Amino acid sequence: MDKEKWQSGTAPLGLYFSLLTKCFAGATVKKMSHIDLDKYFRVLVAVEQSKETITQQKLSDYFKTSKVSMVRIIDYLTGKGYLQRRVNTKDRREHFLILTEKAKKELPLIKQTLADVEASALQNFTEEQKQQFFQYLEKIYINMSELPAEDLFVVYQKVGESEQQSANVSVGDAAE
């Protein structure tokens, strides 16, 4: 991105967030390519770090996403063998989420990889700059969360080699 565009305010904030998300997710997936899971690493970390038995609804609330979106994510993680659902015997409408042994085995690497990618993103920042940066992000989030918005389900998936070549050609053609 052109620094002048940012300074003049012509580059939309959402574009930067989108590009950063894409870069972060891409680097994370690349570093964990040996794991048969190519997304939703943070959901597994959230389940592990929960102080209590976590439910689909609590995860939905934590990630600020709809229950329907979270069910899709949990279906994906369950299908890959990383999570199990257990019905709450006191309220059969509620499902507890349990990490499988497969997930427990991979979580140390997942957490380390997420930390490494974040450290790379924030390299050359002082501790004070990091603290300020996260304070600014929180302010932006609060401001944005007050706006009316549609609930969106964003899916990142690996682009196949032929799709990548096609995308590169399209970008190149558009630039000419």
Side-chain angles (χ1 to χ4, degrees), residues 3 8 21 24 48 57-58 96 107 126-127 132 136 145 151 153:
K3 189 175 182 179
S8 69
T21 299
F24 193 95
E48 181 197 45
Q57 184 60 54
K58 287 178 185 171
F96 295 128
L107 267 162
T126 66
E127 288 305 314
Q132 287 176 336
Y136 293 142
S145 66
D151 190 25
F153 186 70

Side-chain angles (χ1 to χ4, degrees), residues 65-101:
T65 189
S66 73
K67 193 172 180 179
V68 171
S69 295
M70 188 52 62
V71 167
R72 289 181 191 152
I73 292 168
I74 304 237
D75 286 347
Y76 176 84
L77 292 170
T78 301
K80 288 286 192 172
Y82 288 92
L83 283 179
Q84 292 178 341
R85 287 182 175 103
R86 294 218 179 113
V87 175
N88 179 353
T89 56
K90 295 177 183 171
D91 181 354
R92 300 198 55 82
R93 296 169 296 171
E94 187 172 65
H95 292 91
F96 295 128
L97 301 173
I98 311 297
L99 293 170
T100 64
E101 288 305 314

Side-chain angles (χ1 to χ4, degrees), residues 145-158:
S145 66
E146 293 173 357
L147 296 175
E150 293 291 331
D151 190 25
L152 302 175
F153 186 70
V154 179
V155 177
Y156 285 100
Q157 55 191 57
K158 293 179 193 174

